[in-house]
Amino acid sequence: MVVVLLSLLHAAAFAEEERVQPMRGLLIPEVFHATDSERFSTNKIRTGFLPTYTHGERYTGVAYQQNRYAQDAWSTKTEQVSVITKAINPRTGLGYQLNVGLGQSDRGSLITTDSSYGFQLSDQNKMEVFANRDRVETQQALNNGIYYTLVGTSLEHKVTERLSAIVLGGAMLFSDNNTRPIVRARVIYDLDPTHGVTVQLRFRQFRDTDTLVTNHYFNPTTYSETMALIGMRRRIEGWVVSGLAGVGRQAVNQDPDTQTKLLELSVVSPVARQDYYLKARAGYSKSEGWMGPNYLYRHITGELVIPF
């Protein structure tokens, strides 16, 4: 019923899409690998069958995912079966994705989700609502079955033809009864539309309502970060190549400010090509963590869909 309602709401938005005969698809596979400076590693692999496949941003299917975590001599794994449906307009970025799954670990089962719905409010305004639910991925949290539920909404306002502002508000509810209100804001200026170059200013802040809970994850009383970034997005023969690099300052509790860094790169094949759909992304960041202000996080992910 939810999928039917979302499809009706977005029928007009997708009316201008090139009509392509629906096919089927295989997700073979989606992979994710991450490591950090605390010697924690994450490896995820997901495969799936898509009985309805129109293009890389519009399909419905089922998926199986296995997650493996390791830190020094410790390791564990979890599994998840999900129902997924996605309908995003490649031209506007608006639409919905609904991903609901049942995860299993040695600490029991958990209903998970990674879902969002974005729509046009007016000529200058877009809105998105989202909900995420999953396990907290640290050794201590996984051993104790700690999970979170994140809900929120964002509003994007087009100030001028080349200037946009985005504000996000949400709350992360942890299963240990801690709550984390979150605020994020971003200003984007289209510096060079011809070459897809933007400059951005980002701000994010959160606070934890209960810092006395058992220390299963990074849990400061307050955290804030301000970052300046430069972005690039180019279309090359239908492929979209994008990158983002930034530096900033962070404040944790009453400690002195320290530096943060961010670097992200991604490449996406033409969305509507009929032989395959490829999406790859890699990133690096430096921020605050359990061990102090020099927490390093590196990740790479790849997704391949074969239509047939």
Side-chain angles (χ1 to χ4, degrees):
M1 179 61 71
V2 174
V3 175
V4 173
L5 290 174
L6 290 173
S7 299
L8 292 174
L9 285 170
H10 251 73
F14 296 117
E16 297 181 359
E17 284 190 7
E18 180 182 355
R19 296 192 177 276
V20 179
Q21 183 67 29
M23 300 179 293
R24 291 179 288 273
L26 293 175
L27 183 61
I28 53 171
E30 179 178 345
V31 295
F32 175 86
H33 172 71
T35 60
D36 66 16
S37 55
E38 296 172 359
R39 304 177 307 283
F40 187 87
S41 66
T42 304
N43 290 284
K44 302 180 180 181
I45 184 167
R46 185 173 73 157
T47 60
F49 172 60
L50 312 175
T52 301
Y53 180 88
T54 302
H55 56 65
E57 295 293 336
R58 189 166 188 172
Y59 53 77
T60 297
V62 293
Y64 168 77
Q65 180 171 311
Q66 187 175 94
N67 309 318
R68 293 183 178 273
Y69 309 95
Q71 188 172 34
D72 298 328
W74 170 89
S75 66
T76 191
K77 73 173 184 177
T78 64
E79 297 177 309
Q80 181 173 301
V81 177
S82 303
V83 176
I84 53 178
T85 185
K86 187 176 186 179
I88 304 294
N89 189 322
R91 297 179 182 177
T92 65
L94 299 176
Y96 64 85
Q97 66 172 10
L98 184 66
N99 184 332
V100 179
L102 179 64
Q104 297 286 344
S105 73
D106 56 6
R107 289 295 174 176
S109 60
L110 176 69
I111 296 176
T112 63
T113 187
D114 179 12
S115 304
S116 62
Y117 174 44
F119 54 96
Q120 194 84 38
L121 278 177
S122 65
D123 291 342
Q124 288 78 36
N125 297 293
K126 300 177 183 178
M127 178 171 280
E128 181 181 60
V129 293
F130 57 88
N132 304 96
R133 192 171 195 251
D134 210 337
R135 292 177 174 85
V136 178
E137 295 180 339
T138 68
Q139 178 179 341
Q140 295 85 343
L142 290 166
N143 283 340
N144 289 276
I146 305 298
Y147 61 90
Y148 70 88
T149 302
L150 172 64
V151 294
T153 184
S154 67
L155 176 66
E156 177 179 348
H157 176 66
K158 196 172 186 63
V159 181
T160 68
E161 187 63 28
R162 297 170 63 173
L163 180 66
S164 299
I166 304 171
V167 177
L168 179 149
M172 181 176 284
L173 313 174
F174 293 92
S175 58
D176 59 8
N177 296 319
N178 180 33
T179 299
R180 178 177 291 177
I182 298 171
V183 175
R184 297 177 184 172
R186 182 163 41 137
V187 177
I188 305 171
Y189 180 71
D190 198 349
L191 183 65
D192 186 349
T194 303
H195 297 92
V197 179
T198 63
V199 290
Q200 305 182 21
L201 182 64
R202 290 185 179 182
F203 172 78
R204 63 182 178 126
Q205 183 178 59
F206 68 80
R207 65 181 183 86
D208 286 336
T209 60
D210 189 350
T211 56
L212 299 180
V213 296
T214 304
N215 195 20
H216 293 311
Y217 49 87
F218 178 54
N219 185 31
T221 303
T222 60
Y223 177 90
S224 64
E225 178 192 47
T226 302
M227 178 174 285
L229 307 100
I230 184 166
M232 177 275 296
R233 187 177 187 273
R234 295 291 303 275
R235 188 177 295 274
I236 305 172
E237 296 184 355
W239 290 73
V240 177
V241 180
S242 60
L244 194 63
V247 294
R249 304 294 295 179
Q250 63 183 351
V252 181
N253 300 331
Q254 303 301 316
D255 298 338
D257 291 0
T258 54
Q259 187 184 65
T260 62
K261 295 180 181 179
L262 176 69
L263 177 64
E264 294 179 347
L265 298 170
S266 70
V267 59
V268 181
S269 68
V271 172
R273 67 180 302 159
Q274 301 299 292
D275 50 352
Y276 67 87
Y277 175 68
L278 174 67
K279 181 188 294 185
R281 185 175 69 254
Y284 160 89
S285 64
K286 173 189 173 185
S287 61
E288 183 82 14
W290 257 333
M291 308 299 290
N294 295 314
Y295 174 74
L296 304 178
Y297 180 76
R298 301 163 290 267
H299 68 88
I300 184 169
T301 183
E303 174 186 336
L304 177 64
V305 179
I306 305 295
F308 64 96

